[in-house]
Each structure stands twice: as structure tokens, then as C-alpha cells.
């Protein structure tokens, strides 16, 4: 009897340890505002999905399939959705966010709210559920538009060809550019009983609170000579820089925790996130330490990379937390 009880205890302990370490996969499908971006040679553009790994515990894996310039239509027609769908296992999550490019007139991308846009979102939701996955719908994040008359913009991707200009006259009010495309995901979420994150409202509040000048800090808005990778500067009100992607990711992940309670226990926040693959807000551990304030407890998470032992100045209270792939020399 005693041996049986001992065996039962061991089995239960192993089960509890396994459950505690259970991995969770979150697939992401969307456009450039969510996508992973090139990060070498000082490139600064980031999608908020690229930053998301740093806001979840280590046993959550972010598999980001968002791609620049894609709409629901082109994501499906290019076979990208089929690729993701075939990877989904029971219990996996799929974060879905489109709209920026569904609005565009190009026939290979354009969909209509009330018909094709709605139908494509339904397809993502229903086919995720058929695979045993859990869909989460997001509407599109805002563009930084402080002009009452929305500037003509047939392709957000062309904004990467823009250069800095200081002659734009702006108001103090952020104006919507998405129209019905920001409303459809919430309607589909109600129709199909899907968790919904109002990313548009969250980012609208963020950008409006920062104002027309402060909100530039979120985007690829740089003066000539400000960063070496863009010598002529840039004026891009759609795409995020490193700072903006991390601010937005932090806000959206907290919103996810409210509508998907099962994910809330995995959400974490650190002062700085270091990653050699551009998924942190630092690509150097030493730089993160150097930028940490004096005499204030600072938590630094290291996602990956092999780092030499850093120098921590006297007076800095640094707590470094390393994920399994990361290592720090002694």
C-alpha cells in the first residue's frame, strides 16, 4: 500500500511539474504593423508582434507569420494562411489583425467591409477552431494622422521611400483613417463569440495622449542624420520604430490578458528586454545596463544570445533574468 501511495505521489508530482511547464504557441497573422522586420545594420522598423515575445513567459512561443503589405485576401491567396492553419494544434492561439491593406485599391489586396473582409475574417476564425485552436481578433492599429483631410495613401509600403519633411500642417486631434475596416472585426467577434482586442481604440488613446509631436516618437519619423541607417530621415506615420513597437505590444498584451484570462498568467513586464535578434528594445546587454537609472531597481530580461559578463556600475540595482537560450559569461 505504501509503495502504491509513493508511486501515486511521484506520478502526481511529475504531472504538476509538466503542467507548470506546458508550452503555449501563439500564431500571429497580419500586416506590417504586426510583422517581424530586418534588424541588422541599425534598422529601426519593428512590428508590435516582433516585440511580443518579451511580454510572455518563456514557455509561451510567439510564431509570427504577419507580413508587410498583406491583406486578408492576399494572405489567403498566397497560401500563407494554409501554411499557418496546418501548424495549429489543439490549444494553440491565433492572433488575427488586418485592415490597413484591405482598404487599399490594388485588386490583389482589396476587400470590402460587409462582404469579403468579413468573410475572410470568418474563414480565419472557423478554420482555427476546426484545428482545435483559439482565435483572437484585433482591429487595425491607428495611423498617426493629425490632419482632418486624410492624405491620399494607396500603399503604406511606399512610406519607406519617404524622406523627412517639416512642412506638414497638423492639428491637435488624431483623425481616423480606417472607417468601417476598424469596426468589422468587433462585429465578427460578437457574431462568432471570439475574444476581441480593440487595438484601434487603445492606440488612438496612446497617440492622442502623446500629442502630435510626442506621437512621432512611436513611428519611423526621423530627421536627416538622426540615425545612420536612414541618412535622409523618414516621415512614416504608419510603421513603428523599436520604441513604438514595444509600447504598443505592452498595451495590447495587457488587453489580451483581460479578454483571454487563460493567457493572463503568462504575461510579464520588464524594464528592458535584450535580444540579439531584434525582438527586444535593446540588442546589447551592456547598453541596457548603461541606460538603467541609478539607485532604482531595474529588471532586465535577456531573451537570447551569448553575452560577456557585463559591467554593472556601483549604485545601479540591476536584476537580470535569462531565458533558456541566453547565457552570460562569468
Amino acid at each position: 500500500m505504501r509503495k502504491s501511495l509513493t508511486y501515486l505521489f511521484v506520478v502526481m508530482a511529475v504531472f504538476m511539474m509538466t503542467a507548470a511547464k506546458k508550452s503555449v504557441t501563439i500564431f500571429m497573422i497580419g500586416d506590417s504593423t504586426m510583422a517581424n522586420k530586418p534588424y541588422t545594420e541599425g534598422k529601426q522598423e519593428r512590428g508590435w508582434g516582433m516585440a511580443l515575445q518579451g511580454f510572455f513567459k518563456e514557455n509561451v512561443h510567439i510564431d509570427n507569420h504577419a507580413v508587410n503589405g498583406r491583406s486578408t485576401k492576399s494572405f489567403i491567396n498566397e497560401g500563407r494562411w494554409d501554411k499557418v492553419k496546418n501548424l495549429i494544434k489543439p490549444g494553440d492561439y491565433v492572433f488575427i489583425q488586418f485592415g490597413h491593406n484591405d482598404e487599399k485599391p490594388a485588386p490583389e489586396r482589396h476587400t470590402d467591409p460587409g462582404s469579403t473582409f468579413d468573410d475572410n475574417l470568418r474563414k480565419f476564425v472557423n478554420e482555427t477552431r476546426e484545428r482545435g485552436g483559439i482565435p483572437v481578433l484585433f482591429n487595425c492599429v491607428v495611423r498617426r494622422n493629425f490632419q482632418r483631410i486624410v492624405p491620399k495613401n494607396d500603399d503604406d509600403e511606399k512610406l519607406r521611400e519617404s524622406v523627412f519633411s517639416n512642412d506638414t500642417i497638423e492639428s491637435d486631434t488624431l483623425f481616423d483613417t480606417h472607417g468601417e475596416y476598424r469596426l468589422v472585426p468587433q462585429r465578427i467577434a460578437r457574431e462568432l463569440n471570439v475574444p476581441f482586442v480593440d487595438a484601434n481604440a487603445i492606440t488612438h488613446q496612446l497617440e492622442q495622449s502623446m500629442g502630435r509631436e510626442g506621437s512621432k516618437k512611436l513611428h519611423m519619423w526621423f530627421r536627416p542624420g538622426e540615425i545612420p541607417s536612414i541618412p535622409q530621415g523618414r516621415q512614416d506615420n504608419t510603421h513603428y520604430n523599436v520604441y513604438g513597437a514595444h509600447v504598443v505590444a505592452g498595451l495590447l498584451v495587457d488587453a489580451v490578458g483581460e479578454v483571454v484570462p487563460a493567457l493572463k498568467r503568462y504575461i510579464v513586464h520588464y524594464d528592458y528586454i535584450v535580444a540579439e535578434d531584434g525582438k527586444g528594445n535593446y540588442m546589447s546587454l551592456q547598453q541596457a545596463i548603461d541606460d538603467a537609472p541609478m539607485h532604482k531597481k531595474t529588471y532586465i530580461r535577456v531573451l537570447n544570445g551569448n553575452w560577456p559578463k557585463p559591467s554593472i556600475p556601483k549604485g545601479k540595482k540591476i536584476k537580470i533574468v535569462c531565458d533558456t537560450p541566453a547565457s552570460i559569461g562569468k
Side-chain angles (χ1 to χ4, degrees), residues 114-134:
S115 61
T116 47
F117 187 42
D118 305 48
D119 290 342
N120 289 342
L121 293 179
R122 290 188 186 101
K123 177 181 176 69
F124 295 143
V125 168
N126 291 330
E127 293 184 0
T128 294
R129 285 173 165 168
E130 288 170 5
R131 297 283 297 181
I134 304 161

Side-chain angles (χ1 to χ4, degrees), residues 90 140 170 325:
C140 41
E170 296 182 315

Side-chain angles (χ1 to χ4, degrees), residues 16-31:
M16 292 175 65
M17 290 174 63
T18 303
K21 294 182 179 180
K22 179 183 177 182
S23 62
V24 176
T25 298
I26 298 173
F27 295 98
M28 307 187 76
I29 62 172
D31 55 41

Side-chain angles (χ1 to χ4, degrees), residues 223-274:
R223 293 179 177 275
E226 189 173 349
I227 57 170
S229 60
I230 311 176
Q232 291 183 291
R234 186 170 297 172
Q235 190 167 305
D236 178 343
N237 291 314
T238 296
H239 301 108
Y240 297 121
N241 57 30
V242 175
Y243 171 73
H246 279 78
V247 171
V248 171
L251 292 173
L252 295 186
V253 77
D254 285 341
V256 166
E258 295 305 311
V259 299
V260 188
L263 286 177
K264 191 168 187 176
R265 61 194 172 111
Y266 296 108
I267 294 171
V268 291
H269 288 270
Y270 289 83
D271 298 303
Y272 302 121
I273 303 168
V274 178

